[in-house]
Structures are given as C-alpha cells and as structure tokens.
Amino acid sequence: MNKRKRLIYVPLGGAGEIGMNMYLYGYGFPGAEDFILVDVGVSFPNIETTPGVDLIMPETGFVEKNHDRLHGIFITHAHEDHIGALGYLFPKIKAAVYCRKFTAAIATKKMNKAGQDEGKISIVETYPKKISAGPFKISFLPVSHSIPEASSLVIDTPIGRILHTGDFKIDKTPVLGDPFNERLFEQISKTGILALVCDSTNVFSTRHGR
C-alpha cells in the first residue's frame, strides 16, 4: 500500500470545553509525523466533582512518548488555561518554547518554579516574521484579548495554511493590548486557508467587543 504524508490535528484539551487548551499538529508519514504543540493549558477543579484536586491538565502520554519528533511549543497567550501546564510538562518533553514578550515573562516564572532552563524560551516577533519548526512555519498574528500580547497563529504546512485563532475579541479600541486588525486577517487569507481552528467562547454574544 502506498503511504502518503498526512496533516493531522489532535486536540488534547480545550476543544468543546472551557480550559485545558492543548493542540497537537503533525505532518509526515503515518506513525512518523513531525509535531508542534500549541498551548499547554490547565483547567481548574470543581469542588462538587473534583474535591482535593489542584489543577487538571490533558493526558500527554503520546506527546511525552514522541517528544523526539516535537519541534516546538507555541503559546498564544499567558492565561492559565493556555500556559498553566508548562512547568509540569516541559521536564518530560524538553521542547523549545516560543511566545511573545509578555507571555515569555509568565513562562519564565513557571520554568523557574519547576527548576527548568528558561533559556529554552524564545521571544518571537509578530507577523510576517516566521519561525521554522520541522515541516511547519509559524507566525504570531496579534489579536485583541483580555490580556496583553495575545496572538493567533498562522501555521504554514506543506499542503496549506492553517489559522489557529486562540482566544480573541473583535475589539478595535481595547483599553489594553493589541486592537483587532481586519487587514492582517485579509492579508494572511489571500493565499487561501486550508483550515480555521477557531475559539468559540461567547460566540453567541451580540455585545460589541466581547
């Protein structure tokens, strides 16, 4: 049988739920894909259902087992449901971490607390600057959110472009942080978007800037 390279997307957490955001992208022959990990979040327990639990994070056994094929961790922003598992997971996978400056400050604290090398954290420039990670090229696209320096990720793969939005608001005049820039989204879509992986929290809200 002729095996072809494939593009895969595996939501380890965050899809269909609030919190615990962690997404694995892979490209290559089945069973030999190269990977990147987007976000390393946790979720918080509910006293009624998970008493005595401090934090909840996704099952990461597959990532740990295949860490030699993981080419980087890309963090969209510094909320705990996107970065909170970094100190727990990093010692098991030792992959380079990429994020913007504010997020890097939070990531550094988590790495130090876990006794890990903060030198593995790279502060990135925003779009159109690209980071090469295995078969992927990734750009950080500034978006508006309730924390500074949130970003969507433009992920270029050998078979097309993926837009991973992360958390965002369509807010052109935020009190803090980057405004939502429609022109940037128009620009990155000119070559076509293979897939849109979009956050949907409060998607049914009709209030402006939410």
Side-chain angles (χ1 to χ4, degrees), residues 16 27 35-36 45 54 61 63 65 74 83 102-103 124 130 143-144 150 161-163 188 200-201 207:
Y27 180 80
F35 298 107
I36 59 171
D54 294 324
V63 180
K65 182 179 178 181
F74 294 81
I83 198 175
F102 180 85
T103 305
V124 303
K130 293 184 179 181
V143 293
S144 179
R161 173 169 284 183
I162 298 169
L163 175 58
I188 64 103
S200 61
T201 306
R207 292 180 61 184

Side-chain angles (χ1 to χ4, degrees), residues 10-140:
V10 183
L12 300 174
E17 63 184 338
I18 301 297
M20 214 160 54
N21 293 276
M22 192 178 295
Y23 309 92
L24 190 68
Y25 289 92
Y27 180 80
F29 292 109
E33 296 91 350
D34 292 291
F35 298 107
I36 59 171
L37 192 62
V38 174
D39 287 335
V40 282
V42 296
S43 185
F44 298 97
N46 185 317
I47 190 64
E48 296 179 358
T49 59
T50 50
V53 176
D54 294 324
L55 290 174
I56 304 171
M57 62 180 285
E59 166 56 49
T60 58
F62 178 83
V63 180
E64 295 169 28
K65 182 179 178 181
N66 295 283
H67 69 92
D68 58 319
R69 292 189 275 137
L70 182 66
H71 293 275
I73 302 168
F74 294 81
I75 304 177
T76 59
H77 65 283
H79 277 150
E80 286 295 292
D81 59 332
H82 291 257
I83 198 175
L86 181 61
Y88 302 99
L89 182 59
F90 182 85
K92 302 175 182 179
I93 60 176
K94 302 287 186 179
V97 179
Y98 300 93
C99 50
R100 295 177 67 186
K101 187 175 182 179
F102 180 85
T103 305
I106 305 301
T108 296
K109 289 184 178 181
K110 294 189 177 297
M111 293 283 270
N112 287 339
K113 185 177 180 180
Q116 299 301 307
D117 181 12
E118 64 183 64
K120 287 288 188 177
I121 301 171
S122 294
I123 297 174
V124 303
E125 298 179 35
T126 55
Y127 180 85
K129 181 70 174 180
K130 293 184 179 181
I131 298 135
S132 294
F136 302 97
K137 294 185 184 299
I138 302 97
S139 294
F140 282 69

